[in-house]
Amino acid sequence: MYNGPIIDAHFHYFNIDGFVNVAANAGYVNTNACWQEICKQNNIIMSIAMGNTHDATIRYGGIAPRLINLARPFDEENFNQDANVCYCLGVDSELITPDKIEATAQEFEFYLKQDPIKSHCVGIKLYPGYNSVYVNDKRHWPLFELAKAYDVPVVIHTGDTSWPHAHLKYSHPLTVDDAAADFPDVQFVIAHCGCPWFQDACEVAAKNANVAIDLSGLVAGKPKPVHLFLRNAGFFDNLRTWLNYMGDYSRVMYGSDWPLVNIPLYIQTMAHVVPAEYHEQFFYKNALRIFKKMNGVLESVGASMVDVKDK
């Protein structure tokens, strides 16, 4: 079992009624206080929330990014976020019409150009599947250019969705290959390892050095550990097989997808999937290298740092 510091590279910090039952199924309540206690109990020294809200200020006439709001109403001028929470700007792809593409890039740049130590903004998040727009659609290209300019990763929802009316053809992990090939200087992250299409997600990452994977959201709720591992042995064996095929655990990160999962159980599960010799990379070091702007945030709050220069 891994006992070192953890960075949760994928969770949700969103005050929405729908997360009440989701959190309860995992043994929690969807509150800031609950998340902070989870972090203390599990040595999670930093976490990265995926932007979910729809209430950001529109400044330039484009589509505003989706932000976070669990702790308090988002202060867009003072960025008074919790010290241990960073975030990625969520993209409402379907709303970006041709006449709003450039203005939308300006909306996102407002946050990306802020000092990350102050703003805690460390990336961009796409929601294909939930949005019926392919990853490499041209409406995303200015956002990819921003990701390159500001050296932040683009995290992409891949695989299954929680909405039955979503269209999975948009969220299949193979769709990430087009963007990764066309934008080789942009760091992409395949969220959820494309579950259940582990083979395809790992092939895209094996082919493209600018693609990483997070293993978030692969177990929902709070099942009993013995039941979980016995009933899903083939699932985890398949995941491990294709991660080994990819052959580079320096590009595989821990993420939980909280409030979907029970955190101690999920840490135990991922420690079972990822070989022990890669645990420090997986649970901590890789996220520091991929989400580069997070390093300054950690230093500013006095968190213990692990040297990642050897990577």
Side-chain angles (χ1 to χ4, degrees):
M1 184 67 179
Y2 177 72
N3 295 311
I6 293 175
I7 293 173
D8 190 328
H10 187 135
F11 87 121
H12 297 273
Y13 217 47
F14 186 26
N15 186 14
I16 184 176
D17 290 343
F19 275 4
V20 173
N21 290 335
V22 170
N25 289 338
Y28 299 119
V29 290
N30 185 47
T31 65
N32 163 263
C34 183
W35 178 248
Q36 294 303 325
E37 185 61 27
I38 289 169
C39 291
K40 291 178 182 178
Q41 292 178 356
N42 295 279
N43 203 18
I44 300 171
I45 66 168
M46 187 59 66
S47 47
I48 304 173
M50 302 295 114
N52 288 117
T53 71
H54 296 87
D55 56 359
T57 299
I58 297 174
R59 292 178 169 83
Y60 306 103
I63 304 303
R66 300 170 69 178
L67 306 175
I68 59 177
N69 69 349
L70 189 61
R72 59 182 68 86
F74 194 89
D75 184 334
E76 297 183 67
E77 300 301 328
N78 296 312
F79 302 104
N80 58 336
Q81 291 308 301
D82 293 296
N84 64 342
V85 176
C86 293
Y87 69 97
C88 292
L89 300 164
V91 182
D92 274 319
S93 300
E94 288 183 334
L95 301 182
I96 307 175
T97 54
D99 60 310
K100 291 185 179 293
I101 291 176
E102 293 302 324
T104 297
Q106 288 181 279
E107 304 285 0
F108 278 71
E109 188 170 23
F110 171 81
Y111 297 91
L112 292 170
K113 70 183 180 183
Q114 305 296 327
D115 180 355
I117 295 176
K118 178 182 177 182
S119 72
H120 289 208
C121 179
V122 297
I124 297 171
K125 170 68 183 296
L126 301 184
Y127 289 94
Y130 295 101
N131 285 276
S132 295
V133 180
Y134 285 113
V135 175
N136 203 32
D137 189 284
K138 289 185 178 180
R139 75 190 76 186
H140 294 148
W141 286 10
L143 299 179
F144 296 161
E145 293 294 345
L146 284 176
K148 176 182 175 180
Y150 289 95
D151 202 12
V152 298
V154 178
V155 183
I156 301 166
H157 171 86
T158 62
D160 195 13
T161 68
S162 60
W163 295 353
H165 56 275
H167 297 111
L168 294 179
K169 67 180 181 180
Y170 297 104
S171 60
H172 194 287
L174 279 178
T175 63
V176 179
D177 180 60
D178 285 350
D182 291 347
F183 292 88
D185 296 324
V186 175
Q187 174 70 67
F188 294 95
V189 177
I190 295 179
H192 317 302
C193 199
C195 182
W197 296 294
F198 300 141
Q199 174 179 348
D200 302 282
C202 290
E203 169 56 23
V204 173
K207 170 184 174 286
N208 299 288
N210 59 325
V211 173
I213 287 172
D214 82 39
L215 300 187
S216 62
L218 303 182
V219 176
K222 191 181 180 182
K224 294 181 178 180
V226 173
H227 177 78
L228 171 66
F229 291 123
L230 290 179
R231 182 175 180 180
N232 296 285
F235 176 90
F236 293 123
D237 286 345
N238 186 39
L239 173 59
R240 192 163 33 236
T241 293
W242 290 107
L243 289 172
N244 288 335
Y245 167 85
M246 174 188 166
D248 186 359
Y249 280 94
S250 73
R251 289 188 283 134
V252 183
M253 295 183 293
Y254 170 78
S256 66
D257 215 20
W258 188 85
L260 180 72
V261 307
N262 178 270
I263 297 298
L265 175 61
Y266 203 72
I267 292 171
Q268 178 186 0
T269 302
M270 292 301 103
H272 172 74
V273 169
V274 174
E277 60 264 36
Y278 302 116
H279 280 180
E280 188 176 48
Q281 293 181 62
F282 170 68
F283 283 106
Y284 186 62
K285 287 187 175 182
N286 295 343
L288 283 176
R289 191 186 65 259
I290 291 167
F291 290 92
K292 296 177 182 178
K293 291 187 180 296
M294 185 172 53
N295 285 268
V297 180
L298 274 171
E299 292 173 345
S300 72
V301 299
S304 174
M305 297 292 291
V306 171
D307 183 11
V308 296
K309 294 180 180 178
D310 59 334
K311 301 302 174 188

